[in-house]
Each structure stands twice: as C-alpha cells, then as structure tokens.
Amino acid sequence: MDLISKGWFSEVQDDLWPGQSFSLKVKEVLHKEKSEFQDIQVVETETYGRCLILDGIIQCTTRDEFSYQEMISFLPLCCHPNPQKVLIVGGGDGGVAREVVKHPLVKEVHQVEIDDRVVQVSKKYLPSMACGFDSEKLVLTIGDGFEYMKNHKNEFDVIITDSSDPVGPAVSLFHESYFELLKQALKEGGVVCSQAGSFWLDFDYVKKTMKGCSLHFPKVGYAVTSVPSYPCGHIGFIIGSLDANRKLEKPAKKFEKSEIDALNLKYYSSDIHEAAFTLPRWVEKHFYE
Amino acid sequence: MDLISKGWFSEVQDDLWPGQSFSLKVKEVLHKEKSEFQDIQVVETETYGRCLILDGIIQCTTRDEFSYQEMISFLPLCCHPNPQKVLIVGGGDGGVAREVVKHPLVKEVHQVEIDDRVVQVSKKYLPSMACGFDSEKLVLTIGDGFEYMKNHKNEFDVIITDSSDPVGPAVSLFHESYFELLKQALKEGGVVCSQAGSFWLDFDYVKKTMKGCSLHFPKVGYAVTSVPSYPCGHIGFIIGSLDANRKLEKPAKKFEKSEIDALNLKYYSSDIHEAAFTLPRWVEKHFYE
C-alpha cells in the first residue's frame, strides 16, 4: 500500500471522513511493515516532525501529540480524587504512559497493547513518546485488552483506552459491551476515558457510544482537545465515572499553574479541563438534552 | 490558476502553513473569476456544501461557517454591555452581517467591503450567508476600510474585522497602525475583534498582533473556535476593549440557553464564550505571562 504521492502523505478515508483529507509533506519514509494486525509506517515530515501511521491513518506526530496524550491522560486522572492504579488499553507508542506516570498520586500503571510491533517501532523511531515505557511505575503486557480485563476485575482506579478509530482491530472498543467490561475491571468510584472521535464527523456515532457508556456509568461526559493532525483538527474523549456525584468538568484534583509547569504539561491545566467539557450549543443540545 | 487536481481542491500555502494541506472533494466548480483584488472561486463540494475560495484559500464552507461567523460576531458583541452601532470591515460573503443583526441590542450595522465581486458572487452562490445583506439594520459600502474609518471617528461600539489571512489585500489589517485607526473609530468603551490565525501556526505573529493591539487597547484577549475547514481545524480572534475594567472572558451580556436557541445560534453560548478564551498552558504562558 503506497500512501505517499509526489512527496505528500494524504489521509483519505471514505468511511470515516468522506470528502475531506489532511496531508503532510514527507521528507523520508523511515519505516514500513505489515504486522499481524495492521500496516505500520513512520515518516519524517517537513513540518510535523515524525509521524506514526497505522492502516493509512495518522496516529500521532511529534509536533502536536502532547495535546492528545496529556488530555486523554489528565482528564480522567483528574476526574478521580486518588488515581493510584491505572490501566492503559492500547497506546502502543508510549505517549499515554509517559503522561500517566507523571501524575504524583499514580503508583502503578499497567498497559495492554495488542501489537508488539507498534511498541518496537516506536522505541526505535519515536523515542520521545516510547520513553513512557521506561518508567518504573509501568508494567507492559502484549495481548488483548478484552482478555486482560476479564482476568483483572475490580482492580483499577482509572482505565484509559487509547485506540485507533472504530474500523479494523479497534472496532469492538466502541461497543456498549466494552464499557461493561471496563466497569467490572474498575474499583468503586473508578473512571474511564476513551478516544471518541469528532462531533463534526459522525455525530450520531459519538452519541451512540456515549449512550453505551451511560448504561454502565452514572456520569458520562464528552470533552475535546485541539490536534491539528487529526481529522477536523480536534478529537473528543468519552469519560465515564462510577461516582454518581462526580462533576466531571470540575477536576477532583486541581493543579496550580506552577505544578502544571513542573510536571511539564504543555496543554493540560485545570482551566483547560473545565473548558474541554464546554461544547458548542448544537452539540450540547444533541448530547445532553 | 487551476487549484483542483483529480477532483480534489487542496489548500497548499507554503508561506502560511508549510508542509500541511487540507483538501476537499469537489463535485462542481460553480464560479471562477479574477476580480480587481483577488481570484474568486465557488465550488460545490462532496461533503462540505458550497465553498468560497479566495486566492487559493478556503474562506468558508456552508457546512461549518456558522462556527466562525457566530464567534467573530457574538464574542465582541457580548464583550460590550450595549453594542448599538457596529462596523464590519470585510466580510463580503455576508455571514458576519447575518449574525451581527441578530443581536437584540444592535440597532445599526455598517459594513465596508473592498471587493464588490465577492458580495455579488456570494449573493448568487451563497444565499445562506449573503442573506445578511438583506437586513434593514445594515448599510453596505463598497470601499476601503482604512479610508472609511478615517472619515468615521468616535462612532461605533463594536468593530469586527472579518479579513482573509495576512497575505495579499489583508496584510495591513494586522499592523499596529490598524488598531490605532480602530480605536479612533470607536466610542468610549468600544470593542474590536479581528481574525487572528491559529496558535499552532505562526505563534509569534499572533503574539505580535496582540502586542500591536495592546498599544491602543487596555484589555486584549485571544479566543478560539473550532472550524474543520480552516488550517489546523480552528481559528483565533484577537479581541480588544477600551474599557480597562472589562473581563473579556465574562460576557457583559449573558444570554440564557433558551435565548441562544431563539436567536438560532448553533455554536455560541455564554459558556462557550468563556471556554473560548481558555488557552492551552503553553499558549497562555507565551501570550500572557
């Protein structure tokens, strides 16, 4: 599969975002393989640094990945008053692990990634993300997240699902039954966060996923972050809490600006936490009213 | 200038956003001309409705334009306690006029657009925006905004500059001297709002423009809105107030949700107003500290 034409990689996906495409100018293809699960490419771009592409879809670029990784990590972590034990499902590039281990209350992080080749390729070509795997707090398991959770019930304070889009290997991570499994793996008052696409794209799909989540979680919210290399320039997260009294948009743990800087957070702050849950009127109405 | 290849229009601009490009699949080119000031194209896209392109840059699509038009209008209008008389500079598609006249306190709107061909083309091909020109509150002048303001001092409560990007005809609208002119055209306590690009792109340019504004306005802020068809998927606005006590992020005029819906605002709300000024930590630090 050759995705690059005249020096540009173009992300054309007729199922997921028909009629629109984002392109990055490529300096060099650093790596290309077909693993057991997917096509893996790493390219050096002209202006977005290095870019990981799975099955033709941009997963992250070193220029803007911090916005995604910080938000998918710190939004749920800060929705929990004491997130000691965390599970990451997916996240093979290591960026989410890098962020989660920063949180001062987090003691133990477990990660299950299905495709070891993504981990190995990231260690070689994306060290600024894969450094997340070096933490002493982290235990990495190569395997299936579903199977893993079936064997680890009532264990985690926070579970983060850092998946690719709902096609191919990740499709089951958006089903209602997945949220049931997440709930069982959580301790009382636990919090989950999943990548959930853009409200500009499949609006009804986001709403359906939120409904699936709300069958098992009494509190469910949707928050967004700005990521230029993702379709429509942003991405949303579905966050669910087992604590019915939790106000998701108000961080349970607030960090002062000086703490944020000391943690080397470039995007997340307690103000951004609250703003991320504030949705355009038409979205708010459709999702919550 | 042929901008369309294999049925896709691609927005390649090496000066403004090198190494990245957004593309839209085109069904039909509806209009193409070279006016005295710029290349004008209107295309029917596969999934973004109709799209106005000036000098190769997407100005608006009928799918997502409301986010831009509502925010560039209601952010400054709601930063003013009583915005009776408003000036729009640019805005030839009519979308900003359509939004500004909705505000119940606005009595009189003047608009100065330099290129009559944009107005005429929009009336023909973009009636859902150009309907803004039909309001009885609106007086449209074809001419130069600089000249117009030199002859209208101390007249307006709010001035909105809906320009193209800082290349070509719009470049002078980003200079410090432009903010001086705006200030002179305002009444006491007046508010200005200008399109100001993305913090993911020319960060220093945004900061420089804010500095230019702050030489003449005691209160200056930067707010963003999500627009998938703009570079990086969002766009920022610089807002300046002559009232040193005004907190820009707190609307001076708050609308209830029911009022928002009655005004047919799909993006803007008083909550979104506040969230729009909340910036990622690294941007906040760079712009304000």
Side-chain angles (χ1 to χ4, degrees):
Chain A
M1 182 159 62
D2 196 3
L3 305 164
I4 296 162
S5 162
K6 293 181 186 169
W8 289 80
F9 162 74
S10 292
E11 198 188 41
V12 178
Q13 291 288 330
D14 285 339
D15 290 346
L16 293 167
W17 40 86
Q20 70 183 83
S21 166
F22 181 69
S23 304
L24 287 172
K25 202 166 188 184
V26 172
K27 265 192 205 163
E28 192 187 348
V29 177
L30 297 172
H31 185 81
K32 208 170 157 177
E33 72 172 87
K34 197 166 167 45
S35 78
E36 188 187 341
F37 300 97
Q38 53 208 333
D39 279 306
I40 305 173
Q41 276 203 29
V42 181
V43 299
E44 184 79 52
T45 70
E46 285 279 338
T47 55
Y48 273 71
R50 290 192 175 175
C51 175
L52 174 66
I53 301 165
L54 299 180
D55 284 341
I57 298 178
I58 294 171
Q59 302 300 307
C60 47
T61 81
T62 52
R63 173 165 159 189
D64 61 5
E65 52 89 12
F66 65 92
S67 160
Y68 175 80
Q69 324 274 18
E70 289 184 16
M71 292 292 272
I72 197 174
S73 304
F74 274 78
L75 286 174
L77 290 174
C78 294
C79 283
H80 194 289
N82 191 14
Q84 295 196 11
K85 192 169 175 181
V86 179
L87 175 65
I88 301 167
V89 179
D93 54 53
V96 174
R98 181 193 68 202
E99 296 305 320
V100 170
V101 298
K102 282 180 181 176
H103 193 293
L105 296 172
V106 168
K107 288 184 178 159
E108 208 179 323
V109 183
H110 295 261
Q111 179 165 359
V112 201
E113 162 62 49
I114 202 161
D115 194 344
D116 186 45
R117 290 304 306 150
V118 174
V119 176
Q120 298 311 324
V121 167
S122 300
K123 282 185 175 172
K124 184 160 180 192
Y125 294 105
L126 302 163
S128 63
M129 283 180 259
C131 63
F133 297 125
D134 298 337
S135 169
E136 288 184 356
K137 290 181 179 178
L138 188 94
V139 180
L140 175 66
T141 303
I142 299 301
D144 179 55
F146 275 77
E147 289 307 312
Y148 185 92
M149 281 195 278
K150 282 179 191 159
N151 299 317
H152 293 81
K153 304 224 160 162
N154 202 30
E155 269 197 27
F156 302 100
D157 298 306
V158 172
I159 305 176
I160 295 166
T161 305
D162 176 23
S163 72
S164 42
D165 289 297
V167 284
V171 70
S172 51
L173 304 180
F174 293 81
H175 286 167
E176 174 254 319
S177 58
Y178 183 66
F179 289 102
E180 189 175 9
L181 202 59
L182 288 171
K183 180 184 177 175
Q184 290 163 359
L186 284 176
K187 287 187 202 161
E188 203 186 320
V191 173
V192 290
C193 180
S194 294
Q195 189 269 91
S198 163
F199 56 68
W200 286 106
L201 293 169
D202 200 343
F203 204 69
D204 290 325
Y205 198 85
V206 178
K207 196 177 175 183
K208 192 181 146 202
T209 312
M210 287 176 76
K211 273 202 171 160
C213 183
S214 67
L215 288 177
H216 305 286
F217 290 81
K219 278 282 174 180
V220 175
Y222 176 89
V224 287
T225 192
S226 167
V227 187
S229 63
Y230 284 165
C232 298
H234 75 169
I235 196 159
F237 308 106
I238 288 175
I239 295 169
S241 171
L242 291 175
D243 178 354
N245 299 315
R246 175 75 40 223
K247 283 195 173 168
L248 298 174
E249 70 279 14
K250 304 281 178 199
K253 161 83 183 158
K254 271 202 178 192
F255 289 105
E256 297 299 319
K257 298 267 157 89
S258 57
E259 293 175 288
I260 291 290
D261 295 344
L263 291 170
N264 192 26
L265 290 167
K266 291 190 279 178
Y267 197 97
Y268 182 89
S269 70
S270 297
D271 293 339
I272 276 285
H273 183 116
E274 196 159 342
F277 284 93
T278 310
L279 300 177
R281 178 62 192 143
W282 107 96
V283 182
E284 173 189 56
K285 208 155 57 169
H286 197 73
F287 284 0
Y288 296 117
E289 289 173 16
Chain B
M1 181 160 60
D2 195 3
L3 305 164
I4 296 163
S5 163
K6 294 182 185 168
W8 288 80
F9 163 74
S10 292
E11 198 187 40
V12 178
Q13 291 287 331
D14 285 340
D15 290 348
L16 293 166
W17 41 86
Q20 70 184 85
S21 166
F22 181 70
S23 302
L24 287 173
K25 202 165 186 183
V26 172
K27 266 193 205 163
E28 193 189 346
V29 177
L30 298 172
H31 184 82
K32 209 169 155 179
E33 73 171 87
K34 198 167 164 49
S35 77
E36 187 186 342
F37 301 96
Q38 53 209 333
D39 278 307
I40 305 173
Q41 275 204 27
V42 182
V43 299
E44 184 80 52
T45 69
E46 284 279 338
T47 55
Y48 274 71
R50 290 192 176 176
C51 175
L52 173 67
I53 301 164
L54 299 180
D55 283 342
I57 298 179
I58 294 170
Q59 302 300 306
C60 46
T61 81
T62 51
R63 174 165 159 188
D64 62 5
E65 52 89 12
F66 65 92
S67 160
Y68 176 79
Q69 323 275 18
E70 289 183 17
M71 292 292 274
I72 198 174
S73 303
F74 274 78
L75 286 174
L77 290 174
C78 293
C79 283
H80 194 290
N82 190 12
Q84 295 197 10
K85 192 169 175 182
V86 179
L87 174 65
I88 302 166
V89 179
D93 54 53
V96 174
R98 181 193 67 201
E99 296 305 319
V100 170
V101 298
K102 283 181 181 175
H103 193 293
L105 296 171
V106 168
K107 289 186 178 157
E108 208 179 323
V109 183
H110 295 261
Q111 178 166 359
V112 201
E113 161 63 48
I114 202 161
D115 193 345
D116 186 44
R117 289 305 304 151
V118 175
V119 176
Q120 297 312 322
V121 167
S122 299
K123 283 185 176 173
K124 185 159 179 194
Y125 295 104
L126 302 164
S128 62
M129 285 180 259
C131 62
F133 296 126
D134 298 337
S135 169
E136 286 184 358
K137 291 180 179 179
L138 188 95
V139 180
L140 175 66
T141 303
I142 300 300
D144 179 55
F146 274 77
E147 289 308 311
Y148 186 93
M149 282 195 278
K150 283 179 191 158
N151 299 318
H152 293 82
K153 304 224 161 162
N154 204 28
E155 268 197 28
F156 301 100
D157 298 305
V158 172
I159 305 177
I160 295 165
T161 305
D162 175 23
S163 71
S164 41
D165 290 298
V167 284
V171 70
S172 51
L173 305 180
F174 293 80
H175 285 167
E176 173 254 318
S177 58
Y178 182 66
F179 289 102
E180 188 174 10
L181 203 58
L182 287 171
K183 181 184 176 172
Q184 290 164 359
L186 284 176
K187 288 186 201 163
E188 203 184 321
V191 173
V192 291
C193 180
S194 294
Q195 189 269 93
S198 164
F199 55 68
W200 286 107
L201 293 169
D202 201 343
F203 205 70
D204 291 325
Y205 198 85
V206 178
K207 195 176 175 182
K208 192 181 147 203
T209 311
M210 286 175 75
K211 273 202 170 159
C213 182
S214 66
L215 288 176
H216 305 287
F217 290 81
K219 278 281 174 182
V220 176
Y222 176 88
V224 286
T225 192
S226 168
V227 187
S229 64
Y230 285 164
C232 297
H234 74 169
I235 197 159
F237 307 106
I238 289 175
I239 294 169
S241 170
L242 292 175
D243 178 354
N245 299 316
R246 174 77 38 223
K247 284 194 174 169
L248 298 174
E249 70 279 14
K250 304 281 178 199
K253 161 83 181 156
K254 270 202 178 191
F255 288 106
E256 297 299 319
K257 298 265 158 91
S258 58
E259 292 174 289
I260 291 291
D261 295 343
L263 291 170
N264 193 25
L265 290 166
K266 290 189 281 178
Y267 197 97
Y268 182 88
S269 70
S270 297
D271 294 339
I272 276 286
H273 183 116
E274 196 158 342
F277 284 93
T278 309
L279 300 177
R281 179 61 191 144
W282 107 96
V283 182
E284 173 190 56
K285 207 155 59 169
H286 197 74
F287 284 1
Y288 296 116
E289 290 173 14

